[in-house]
Amino acid sequence: MAQVPQRFFDALAVRTWCGLSLRALGRAREEIDAINVYPVADGDTGTNLYLTVESAVAAVEAVFAAHEVGRAPDTGRPVDPAGPAAGPTLADAVGAMAHGALIGARGNSGTILAQLLRGLAQVLAGQGETAHTDGPSLRLALRHAADSARQAVAHPVEGTVLTVASAAADAAGRAEGDCAAVAHAAYEGARAALAGTPGQLPVLERAGVVDAGGRGLVTVLAALVETFTGQTPAAGAATVPHARVETAGQESAGQETAGECPAADGPAFEVIYLLEAEDTAVARLRQRLDALGDSLVVVGGDGLWNVHVHVDDAGAAVEAGVEAGRPYRIRITHFGHGDAHTTGTERPPRERAQRAVVAVVPGEGLAGLYTGAGATAVLARAGEPPASGELVQALRRAHAREVVLLPNDAELRQTAAAAAEQARTEGIRVALIPTRSAVQGIAALAVHEPERRFDEDVVAMTSAAGATRYAEVTVAEHRSWTTAGICQAGDVLGLIDGDVAVIGADVTSVAAAVLDRMLAAGGELVTLVLGDDAPEPLAELLEARVREAYLAVDTVVYRGGRQGALLLIGVE
């Protein structure tokens, strides 16, 4: 489906661009990872760019949520009748985008992309309280973005994402017209520069690939074009040639395959951390870290920075941060050996289990239930869905050759799919079962048998989840249009299979009405998961109703804790 074009660069355009960029990077991630040979052939550039933009998207969405801008009516969820007019300003949106990218930046290319977005935001936010900006302002923003990113890198190298960003800004500077024309010019300039990167950087030419970070930036600029035109550029970024991808790691790292990097070829560790520090302290920190290693990128400002460097002495890099201010979210990776996390303790690797289940759950009570059943639980608090990086970590933590992933939320499916793709590149066999509610996950987990063949187990779990209708009872936060009519703030809503079906004033009566509607189509087992704020007698009343009105239907009750909804219902 074609994207509805945005005429101006306003808050909604920022939101659209971030979302399109995330989806595009998700599609291109494996390809970008595969061509990652510089500065280290560790095969993670696509993933790092995805995680960086994912953090930006989360920040922008949080700003819109704070302004009570609802979802589209066709989701069945409540929306704000006031619509986008009540939303954030352009400055709010670009500021959130830049901040989200900064705190979530991963790897060398992700850190540079965060600075590109920050530079862009500095110009666009400088427009004051204006609702939107135009082509000339976008030209200036792209120029400032490229320049600030280059300044953030201790020793800029041509043939990298910096070259591609500068070419995009140069082309945009020559363009006339609106935002669509400027964006398209920037995209074409970046694409041409990307094709020329092998001629600028010998390691790329030997591997027969283009620069991975630049490839990611072209993808992000293609999303910008789509934001303003409603169409993906005809000559998409994926058409840029990059031959001999399969030999990239071998060409650049002796006998190693792509995604591996022998420590002898450069510093052994990648160190990344967020830093609260004054500008003067950061200037000294740059000099200290530059003497310790290479690939130094320090981005940010206004007291918050993201520091990235490759070193042999990871402890010294962290100590330098302590001297400059307060470092936190410290991440240390030994190239080719995963996360070190500064423990320094060597333990023999434990044997992988054959199979495991990883599930996203909305409350502590359900987390305990899933864990007790042998699953690895990822807690998703209300309004704080897990990012794909968290799911990847959970898939690794499960330490199994085969993993079944249960997202338990329709809106997490894309995030879960991205995590599954990343885990597969690490040799983990992952099956994603598209569960839309925790009660569907409970049904799937109930039939899980690790001794079965993997495919048979996945089919059985998928069938059990699909045969479970799901519902929830919650409270409306504001006056909204729904598929069942208009609700007022404080009304009790009953949603069946994701759509608002019942609106009422009393939790028990709405829950009973929802249950009756679900059992009208038949059922053998009712699962009730009560949140902390559910009325105390609710479970007893519903159990009695099922017992008296529906013969041969069993009921099980669980306590979900702080799960967001007052009640989750499953009918099998």
Side-chain angles (χ1 to χ4, degrees):
M1 182 181 295
Q3 174 69 37
V4 176
Q6 305 295 319
R7 292 185 58 197
F8 302 104
F9 209 151
D10 57 9
L12 185 57
V14 174
R15 186 188 203 184
T16 301
W17 179 33
C18 288
L20 289 173
S21 295
L22 186 65
R23 289 193 287 275
L25 286 170
R27 292 190 297 269
R29 182 176 56 231
E30 287 188 12
E31 175 197 343
I32 296 173
D33 282 345
I35 63 174
N36 173 200
V37 299
Y38 182 85
V40 175
D42 49 356
D44 63 357
T45 293
T47 299
N48 288 337
L49 290 170
Y50 181 91
L51 294 173
T52 302
V53 174
E54 184 180 54
S55 181
V57 168
V60 172
E61 290 300 323
V63 165
F64 273 82
H67 285 78
E68 295 186 342
V69 176
R71 304 172 185 170
D74 59 5
T75 65
R77 299 278 184 163
V79 297
D80 182 357
T89 64
L90 172 62
D92 291 334
V94 294
M97 173 186 70
H99 180 74
L102 176 67
I103 64 174
R106 297 282 292 272
N108 191 69
S109 293
T111 307
I112 292 173
L113 177 61
Q115 186 65 14
L116 285 167
L117 295 179
R118 177 178 170 82
L120 192 90
Q122 286 175 324
V123 173
L124 298 181
Q127 305 292 313
E129 293 301 311
T130 180
H132 63 262
T133 193
D134 53 12
S137 293
L138 180 57
R139 286 202 303 268
L140 292 174
L142 289 167
R143 178 76 272 161
H144 183 65
D147 293 345
S148 63
R150 189 170 285 269
Q151 291 166 7
V153 178
H155 301 285
V157 175
E158 297 307 324
T160 66
V161 63
L162 297 176
T163 303
V164 176
S166 294
D170 291 343
R174 296 188 293 269
E176 298 292 338
D178 57 11
C179 288
V182 173
H184 195 273
Y187 164 75
E188 290 294 346
R191 204 167 70 89
L194 177 63
T197 54
Q200 297 174 292
L201 205 53
V203 65
L204 300 179
E205 186 174 26
R206 288 196 301 270
V209 299
V210 294
D211 179 65
R215 168 70 174 84
L217 179 58
V218 169
T219 300
V220 171
L221 289 173
L224 184 63
V225 174
E226 186 176 356
T227 298
F228 294 121
T229 66
Q231 299 291 330
T232 304
T239 64
V240 176
H242 49 268
R244 297 194 292 138
V245 167
E246 68 278 6
T247 64
Q250 295 168 345
E251 292 285 348
S252 63
Q255 298 302 312
E256 304 292 330
T257 58
E260 298 176 336
C261 180
D265 287 350
F269 297 97
E270 178 184 59
V271 179
I272 304 174
Y273 50 80
L274 291 179
L275 177 70
E276 293 178 356
E278 299 297 326
D279 290 7
T280 52
V282 171
R284 292 192 298 271
L285 174 67
R286 288 180 193 269
Q287 295 178 348
R288 174 87 181 273
L289 292 178
D290 192 27
L292 286 175
D294 59 29
S295 296
L296 174 61
V297 185
V298 181
V299 304
D302 302 319
L304 180 62
W305 308 82
N306 190 307
V307 178
H308 169 281
V309 66
H310 294 174
V311 293
D312 282 320
D313 188 346
V318 175
E319 288 173 8
V322 173
E323 292 176 5
R326 186 178 78 87
Y328 60 103
R329 292 193 188 179
I330 300 168
R331 182 182 179 86
I332 299 173
T333 302
H334 190 299
F335 292 121
H337 293 82
D339 287 349
H341 289 301
T342 69
T343 61
T345 303
E346 294 295 332
R347 294 181 296 177
R350 60 188 175 94
E351 182 68 22
R352 284 183 179 272
Q354 182 60 35
R355 190 172 307 158
V357 176
V358 171
V360 181
V361 293
E364 297 88 344
L366 280 174
L369 172 67
Y370 274 79
T371 302
T376 297
V378 180
L379 188 62
R381 302 187 185 280
E384 299 178 17
S388 64
E390 294 176 66
L391 298 186
V392 171
Q393 290 297 331
L395 291 168
R396 293 170 180 156
R397 197 166 62 247
H399 204 65
R401 297 181 181 88
E402 302 167 341
V403 181
V404 178
L405 178 57
L406 307 173
N408 292 338
D409 187 335
E411 296 184 6
L412 278 179
R413 182 167 182 178
Q414 184 176 345
T415 300
E421 289 177 15
Q422 171 59 22
R424 290 180 190 123
T425 67
E426 300 175 10
I428 305 171
R429 187 181 184 189
V430 182
L432 171 61
I433 297 178
T435 47
R436 296 170 174 266
S437 169
V439 292
Q440 288 189 324
I442 291 172
L445 197 57
V447 301
H448 168 54
E449 291 187 15
E451 302 308 316
R452 275 194 297 230
R453 289 179 58 249
F454 187 58
D455 291 341
E456 292 175 356
D457 199 27
V458 171
V459 168
M461 295 176 73
T462 302
S463 297
T468 303
R469 299 189 67 199
Y470 64 96
E472 68 176 85
V473 176
T474 189
V475 176
E477 296 182 357
H478 47 71
R479 183 175 184 272
S480 307
W481 293 96
T482 77
T483 50
I486 300 175
C487 71
Q488 306 296 327
D491 280 351
V492 180
L493 307 178
L495 293 88
I496 299 177
D497 294 335
D499 293 327
V500 177
V502 181
I503 301 174
D506 176 70
V507 174
T508 302
S509 61
V510 169
V514 168
L515 192 54
D516 287 341
R517 289 197 186 194
M518 297 180 76
L519 287 172
E524 299 175 356
L525 177 66
V526 172
T527 301
L528 304 175
V529 183
L530 279 77
D532 280 349
D533 296 329
E536 190 59 37
L538 181 60
E540 278 186 40
L541 292 171
L542 294 179
E543 281 186 285
R545 188 181 191 88
V546 172
R547 189 168 52 249
E548 295 166 5
Y550 302 96
L551 298 177
V553 177
D554 295 324
T555 305
V556 293
V557 179
Y558 301 109
R559 298 284 172 176
R562 292 171 292 178
Q563 63 184 23
L566 297 174
L567 175 69
L568 301 177
I569 303 174
V571 174
E572 302 175 49

